[in-house]
Amino acid sequence: TLLYTIKFETRMSGFHGVYLLCSIENNRSLNGTYIGYTVSPGRRILQHNRFKKGGAHKTAKYAPWDMILCIHNFPSRTAGLRFEWAWQNPKRSIRLSMYEWQKKKSETGVQYQIKVLEKMLNVAPWKKLPLIVQWLRSEYKLPLTPPLHMPIVQGPIEDQHDSEELIKEFDGECYICSSHVSKNTGIYCVNKHCKFHLICLAHSWNENSELLPISGCCPKCKHEQLWGEMVKLKNYCYSQNSSSQQDEEPHWTEQLTQT
C-alpha cells in the first residue's frame, strides 16, 4: 500500500506545502491523523513511514500512514508554517476563534480535519492566497469548498522545474506609469512578461480598497492573473540565496496578519 510514494517528486524548488496524513490502521480518531509542513512531500511520507530518517516521533505509534491531501503554493515557508499551526490548533488560532471546534462522535478524524480546513481556506488571510488543494489519494476524497480562485486537483504532485530562464532581463519601463522599473521594484505578467511597478499594478487592481488584491486583468495583454502567483514567481525567479536564507527575509504575506 505504500508503493505510491515513489510517484512524488524527490526534489522541488520553491515548494511550500501543508499535508494531511491518515493512519492506515487507525483512521477513526484524531490520533489517526497528522498535519505537517513540507518542502518535499515524497521524502516526508517516506520519513513518516520509517523508510527514511527524520519522521516526527509522534507519528511512529500509528504508522503506516497515507498522505491523502496537500495544500500548496504558499509563497513562503513562514506562510506555510503559520497555516500548519492554525490547522493543528484551531481552538487557539485567533483567525478561527469565531467557530466552535468540537469533533462529533460520528466524525472520523479525517472528516473533522477537512471540516477545519474548509473554514480556514475561507477566512483571511488564507482566502487571499493562490493556494492549490490537491487530493493525493482518491479513496479519502471528501466534499470541500474553497474560494473560487483555488483549484481542487487530484493525483501525485509533479516535480516543479526551475524557471530561472523565464526572464533574462527585467529592467525596462512600467506599462502603467512609463517610468523605469527594475527587478527590485517591479512585477511582471505570468503569461506575457508585461512589466509593471508592483505598487502601480496593485493600485490598478485594488477596487475594494483592501490591503492587497486577489486577482485582476493584465493592463497590457488582458490575461487574468492571480496576484499571489505573480509575486511568488517574481520572488522565485530572482532568488539568489538558499531556501533557508530566503525564509528569513520579510515577505508580502506577512503584511496581512499574524496567525
Side-chain angles (χ1 to χ4, degrees):
T1 58
L2 300 177
L3 293 179
Y4 78 94
T5 55
I6 63 174
K7 295 181 181 180
F8 286 100
E9 86 304 328
T10 56
R11 181 181 180 183
M12 302 185 74
S13 299
F15 182 93
H16 303 285
V18 179
Y19 59 87
L20 175 62
L21 298 183
C22 178
S23 172
I24 294 175
E25 298 178 356
N26 181 32
N27 56 18
R28 293 291 307 176
S29 70
L30 275 180
N31 289 333
T33 63
Y34 179 84
I35 295 160
Y37 163 84
T38 186
V39 297
S40 177
R43 181 183 66 208
R44 197 66 182 134
I45 186 61
L46 292 174
Q47 290 173 329
H48 282 300
N49 285 324
R50 299 303 184 216
F51 291 110
K52 284 182 176 288
K53 293 182 179 180
H57 293 296
K58 65 177 65 175
T59 61
K61 181 178 179 180
Y62 296 104
W65 298 87
D66 278 334
M67 185 178 286
I68 66 174
L69 177 73
C70 187
I71 311 300
H72 58 97
N73 213 30
F74 290 96
S76 69
R77 180 175 183 269
T78 299
L81 288 173
R82 286 178 174 172
F83 188 90
E84 175 203 32
W85 184 89
W87 195 0
Q88 292 172 341
N89 303 277
K91 295 179 181 179
R92 297 169 59 190
S93 172
I94 61 173
R95 287 293 166 183
L96 303 173
S97 59
M98 73 287 287
Y99 300 111
E100 292 290 332
W101 297 112
Q102 188 65 41
K103 180 181 175 296
K104 299 177 182 179
K105 290 184 179 180
S106 59
E107 287 180 323
T108 65
V110 171
Q111 288 172 333
Y112 175 77
Q113 299 292 15
I114 297 302
K115 178 176 70 176
V116 175
L117 173 64
E118 183 172 69
K119 297 293 187 184
M120 290 181 62
L121 293 175
N122 286 282
V123 300
W126 305 300
K127 70 179 182 179
K128 295 178 178 289
L129 299 181
L131 302 178
I132 297 171
V133 180
Q134 188 149 353
W135 288 98
L136 307 174
R137 301 297 299 265
S138 60
E139 61 267 35
Y140 294 95
K141 190 173 181 180
L142 294 171
L144 181 60
T145 308
L148 292 177
H149 69 275
M150 294 185 191
I152 299 178
V153 297
Q154 184 173 312
I157 296 174
E158 302 292 338
D159 191 8
Q160 295 182 348
H161 300 287
D162 289 347
S163 56
E164 293 179 357
E165 296 183 358
L166 285 178
I167 304 178
K168 297 185 181 297
E169 184 60 47
F170 197 97
D171 286 353
E173 198 175 86
C174 173
Y175 181 79
I176 295 175
C177 71
S178 300
S179 60
H180 180 263
V181 59
S182 68
K183 68 180 182 182
N184 295 322
T185 61
I187 195 168
Y188 68 95
C189 168
V190 173
N191 293 316
K192 298 294 184 180
H193 298 176
C194 312
K195 301 170 186 176
F196 313 95
H197 287 113
L198 189 145
I199 297 296
C200 291
L201 187 63
H203 286 167
S204 72
W205 283 5
N206 202 342
E207 299 178 354
N208 298 321
S209 299
E210 296 186 6
L211 180 62
L212 291 170
I214 295 177
S215 63
C217 182
C218 172
K220 186 176 181 180
C221 71
K222 308 305 180 185
H223 280 83
E224 288 292 326
Q225 310 281 329
L226 287 174
W227 174 264
E229 277 292 327
M230 295 176 72
V231 177
K232 183 173 184 290
L233 190 55
K234 160 190 161 63
N235 289 346
Y236 176 66
C237 288
Y238 285 100
S239 168
Q240 299 296 325
N241 301 321
S242 66
S243 59
S244 60
Q245 290 173 320
Q246 291 174 15
D247 293 335
E248 296 172 359
E249 298 178 357
H251 195 277
W252 67 271
T253 54
E254 296 177 32
Q255 302 175 44
L256 298 178
T257 184
Q258 297 289 331
T259 303

